[in-house]
Amino acid sequence: MDQIFDFEAMRKHRDRAAPRLKNIAPVLDELAARLLGRLDDTTQTFTTALDFGGRGAIAPALRARGMQVVSADVSPRLAAQAGGEPLVIASENFGLEGRKFDLIAAHFSLHWINDLPGALIQLRRALNPKGLLLASMPALGTLATLRTALLTAEETLTGAVSPRVSPFPDLRDCAGLLQRAGFALPVADVEDINFLYANPLALLHELRDAGETNAVLARSRKFTPRALFLTALAALPMRADRYEVTLRMAVLTGWSS
């Protein structure tokens, strides 16, 4: 399989974000509440849960619901502070024990994985029979205006372009990925969430603080001139005197058999 993402770079970005995570915690918590709200739609009882990459937004909420929680992350620091029993994921071969969890919640932690179908298969195998997967990830259209602005600014300033925003899956493919991974009753839906910034540099700071710095293998390794970001950010659309970007939050649900 072609490699798109740099796993080691992603791990380092998340590790470095650990002490800054409090800056972005309210956003992660709000998004986690939207994901975990799906639990209110089922009468199933869950006792054991895997928090897969939730960065402190998932494990406390699941423990408040009475579950025993293991918190897995590629970053040892994030795993340790996520709120559950820590488990470090050392590679894209997750090494999860089979049929261990009633519930797996993967909150914005799968979009840097090269083999997404393989990752979903691993998560399904870690579920007990009739276990539930809840996953959130950015879908195609997320940060679309930022992607375009960066490409335009870089071409204007340097005559070349490089990938600076991760490629995201199309929502139409998400339910199909769940089905291919062997999940029953696969469902994928999307919610557009708009963020407004008085200072667009705050967007870049929040992405850094969340551990979402560029980990695309084909990214430029050259020094990025500050003018590139200033030019690109100034070109973002505005609403009510604020710079606007959109997160297309895809929510995936599927059951193990």
Side-chain angles (χ1 to χ4, degrees):
M1 166 172 284
D2 292 338
Q3 300 293 294
I4 299 173
F5 304 114
D6 184 338
F7 183 90
E8 183 60 19
M10 184 263 291
R11 184 195 64 76
K12 290 179 178 178
H13 295 162
R14 290 175 74 94
D15 225 31
R16 291 168 184 161
R20 298 192 297 261
L21 205 60
K22 60 184 180 294
N23 299 330
I24 194 69
V27 174
L28 292 174
D29 289 345
E30 168 62 23
L31 296 176
R34 295 176 187 235
L35 174 68
L36 297 180
R38 300 302 202 280
L39 294 176
D40 299 329
D41 298 330
T42 178
T43 58
Q44 186 87 3
T45 298
F46 306 102
T47 59
T48 57
L50 176 65
D51 156 29
F52 192 86
R55 286 172 279 197
I58 293 293
L62 295 182
R63 291 177 64 190
R65 290 173 178 257
M67 300 180 210
Q68 296 178 339
V69 183
V70 173
S71 290
D73 204 288
V74 301
S75 159
R77 299 179 73 179
L78 288 183
Q81 68 185 48
E85 179 186 343
L87 174 65
V88 177
I89 302 298
S91 71
E92 292 199 17
N93 180 6
F94 302 153
L96 298 173
E97 184 178 340
R99 293 180 176 260
K100 182 175 177 64
F101 304 103
D102 300 325
L103 171 70
I104 294 178
H107 183 46
F108 285 100
S109 55
L110 297 176
H111 55 289
W112 293 112
I113 300 296
N114 285 293
D115 183 7
L116 183 53
L120 291 172
I121 289 172
Q122 292 184 70
L123 295 179
R124 177 183 58 78
R125 289 173 176 169
L127 282 168
N128 287 322
K130 298 184 179 179
L132 174 64
L133 170 72
L134 286 178
S136 59
M137 65 178 64
L140 183 66
T142 293
L143 299 180
T145 54
L146 178 62
R147 184 196 306 273
T148 299
L150 284 168
L151 290 173
T152 301
E154 187 171 19
E155 185 174 28
T156 299
L157 293 172
T158 69
V161 295
S162 60
R164 296 186 180 276
V165 175
S166 172
F168 300 122
D170 191 317
L171 179 67
R172 292 174 297 180
D173 298 328
C174 289
L177 288 171
L178 288 170
Q179 190 170 33
R180 283 174 53 194
F183 285 96
L185 303 175
V187 175
D189 56 55
V190 70
E191 181 177 0
D192 286 348
I193 303 168
N194 296 320
F195 293 86
L196 300 174
Y197 297 91
N199 179 356
L201 282 173
L203 166 62
L204 301 185
H205 294 158
E206 288 187 355
L207 291 172
R208 178 203 62 189
D209 292 347
E212 295 293 339
T213 313
N214 189 2
V216 177
L217 267 174
R219 68 192 184 279
S220 174
R221 311 302 171 98
K222 298 178 180 178
F223 174 77
T224 301
R226 181 177 174 82
L228 188 154
F229 291 113
L230 294 177
T231 301
L233 292 171
L236 291 176
M238 299 189 73
R239 177 158 63 95
D241 298 324
R242 295 291 189 269
Y243 295 90
E244 183 178 33
V245 294
T246 299
L247 164 64
R248 299 206 79 212
M249 177 178 170
V251 174
L252 285 61
T253 61
W255 296 85
S256 63
S257 56

